[in-house]
Every structure is written in structure tokens, then in C-alpha cells.
Amino acid sequence: MVCVHCGSETHVTNSRLQKRTNSVWRRRACISCGSVFTSHEAPNYAASITVRDAEGALSPFSRDKLLLSLFKSLQHRSTAVQDASALVDTVIARLLTQMQHSAIEDKNIATTAYLVLLRFDKAAAIHYQAFHTL
């Protein structure tokens, strides 16, 4: 990776796997200017997972779409943004363990999100269920 300040090569001084978010946190230092910064590496789900709808059409997985649908159900909470962000990571982790191929049914995403919400906030789960086919 190149330095965000001068564009020169960098080296990794510290690295940690973030199991919950399936990402890697890295502390980097620039060889030229000595600048130190942090980078986060996460998988690109849109490129590797496809979603099959009820008609059989395929589309790329969208973490943002899932985040918005969870956020709408959690809007009654004062920490809705933080809660939705954390729950998206939980839903994706569960979906990845259920996947057999790179395609996943949209109904499976909705059911998994509902079950995660149900354990977290029953009112949010009921709201989610009203707008999604399970």
C-alpha cells in the first residue's frame, strides 16, 4: 500500500484480525516520510456474493441495502445507526456460514436478518417482518 501523505511505499508494523467483522486492521508506517496510519481490509461482498430473488434473477449482494433495512426497523432506538451497523456484521457472518455456493436466496437474507433482530429487539423484528417476505 502507498502512503496517504506522500505516495511512497509503506510497511506493516502491526496487524490484527477482526473476527466479528471479518476484516483485518493494520498499522502502517511510510518508508520515506515516516507517517503512521491505519488501514482496514474487508472482503468485497458485492463481487463475491450474488442474491437470487423470487423470480430467479441474480444481483450483487449489497451490504448498504441490508444496513438500510435494519436501520429502518431500529429507528425507534437512540443508537439505531450503531446498532444497525453491528447487526449487519452479525447477519453477514451467519449468512456466510449458511452459503453453499456464491448465490444466496433473498428470502434467506430476510429470514436471517429477522432472527438476528428478534434476539436483539423484538419490536424491531416485528417492524422488519411487516416489510419483508420471510
Side-chain angles (χ1 to χ4, degrees), residues 94-114:
R94 288 194 182 177
L95 289 171
L96 291 175
T97 61
Q98 298 171 7
M99 285 182 50
Q100 295 177 356
H101 302 288
S102 63
I104 190 163
E105 304 290 327
D106 61 350
K107 189 174 184 176
N108 192 10
I109 295 171
T111 302
T112 303
Y114 169 74

Side-chain angles (χ1 to χ4, degrees), residues 14-60:
N14 194 354
S15 182
R16 295 188 182 149
L17 175 65
Q18 306 295 312
K19 289 183 181 179
R20 193 175 63 84
T21 59
N22 196 24
S23 63
V24 178
W25 171 93
R26 297 190 197 280
R27 176 79 66 200
R28 296 179 176 274
C30 179
I31 296 170
S32 295
C33 71
S35 169
V36 177
F37 61 97
T38 302
S39 67
H40 296 273
E41 299 173 14
N44 181 0
Y45 294 118
S48 57
I49 301 173
T50 54
V51 178
R52 186 185 320 272
D53 65 13
E55 291 81 35
L58 295 175
S59 60

Side-chain angles (χ1 to χ4, degrees), residues 51-69:
V51 178
R52 186 185 320 272
D53 65 13
E55 291 81 35
L58 295 175
S59 60
F61 178 80
S62 172
R63 183 185 188 282
D64 294 339
K65 186 175 178 181
L66 180 59
L67 176 69
L68 278 173
S69 67

Side-chain angles (χ1 to χ4, degrees), residues 69-121:
S69 67
L70 292 174
F71 172 74
K72 287 177 184 175
S73 296
L74 292 164
Q75 282 184 331
H76 66 280
R77 301 175 62 90
S78 62
T79 57
V81 174
Q82 296 88 343
D83 295 341
S85 183
L87 289 173
V88 164
D89 294 331
T90 303
V91 171
I92 290 173
R94 288 194 182 177
L95 289 171
L96 291 175
T97 61
Q98 298 171 7
M99 285 182 50
Q100 295 177 356
H101 302 288
S102 63
I104 190 163
E105 304 290 327
D106 61 350
K107 189 174 184 176
N108 192 10
I109 295 171
T111 302
T112 303
Y114 169 74
L115 293 173
V116 168
L117 273 173
L118 191 59
R119 288 189 58 161
F120 182 73
D121 184 323

